[in-house]
Amino acid sequence: MTTATNPLPPHGTYARANGSPGRRPPCPCTRCLKERRRVNKRNEVNRALGRPGVVDAAPARAHLHRLHTRMGWKTLSARTGLDYRTLVQIYRGERDTIRRTSATKILSVSAPNNRDVGLYID
């Protein structure tokens, strides 16, 4: 029996730059190092300014409940740039805290005047 391996993240991403403990070493290429330094600097600046990396999910959850009355998960995923499974977990209350960037993406979406075609409603 063989097991399938996950493909490597693309070069120039934080995931590729850091590697995965026990599975793959960090990538030493210039693009990956640059991305790792960029993310680490952003995190240091946010920490120094008192901006937490994670925030309470309640405001984003309430906004998702309002948005989901007019938009489906595919539309919400496209508008926020987040995976629909992440949105569903936040919506159901399975996550108490979420990344600040995810909360910002969710809260920046405004509800359209008309509903998505084929959207189920109560």
Side-chain angles (χ1 to χ4, degrees):
M1 182 170 117
T2 62
T3 58
T5 58
N6 291 336
L8 287 173
H11 282 285
T13 60
Y14 188 70
R16 180 77 176 250
N18 277 343
S20 181
R23 286 191 256 165
R24 68 174 187 274
C27 180
C29 79
T30 306
R31 288 174 43 200
C32 291
L33 288 176
K34 185 176 179 181
E35 177 64 13
R36 182 176 7 185
R37 288 183 185 128
R38 187 188 69 77
V39 170
N40 288 340
K41 182 176 181 178
R42 183 189 67 205
N43 291 342
E44 286 177 26
V45 168
N46 286 337
R47 207 170 314 143
L49 293 174
R51 296 178 190 152
V54 293
V55 295
D56 184 28
R61 184 177 305 114
H63 192 63
L64 271 178
H65 280 278
R66 284 191 298 274
L67 291 174
H68 192 56
T69 61
R70 298 200 166 269
M71 295 194 280
W73 293 119
K74 286 183 183 180
T75 307
L76 279 169
S77 179
R79 290 264 185 101
T80 59
L82 299 171
D83 188 56
Y84 81 93
R85 289 171 290 201
T86 302
L87 295 172
V88 170
Q89 287 175 345
I90 296 168
Y91 182 85
R92 291 180 180 166
E94 295 173 10
R95 294 188 181 191
D96 296 331
T97 58
I98 57 175
R99 290 184 181 156
R100 185 173 36 85
T101 54
S102 298
T104 304
K105 288 177 183 179
I106 292 169
L107 295 172
S108 68
V109 175
S110 59
N113 292 335
N114 52 355
R115 296 181 193 275
D116 276 355
V117 176
L119 182 68
Y120 292 110
I121 49 177
D122 278 345

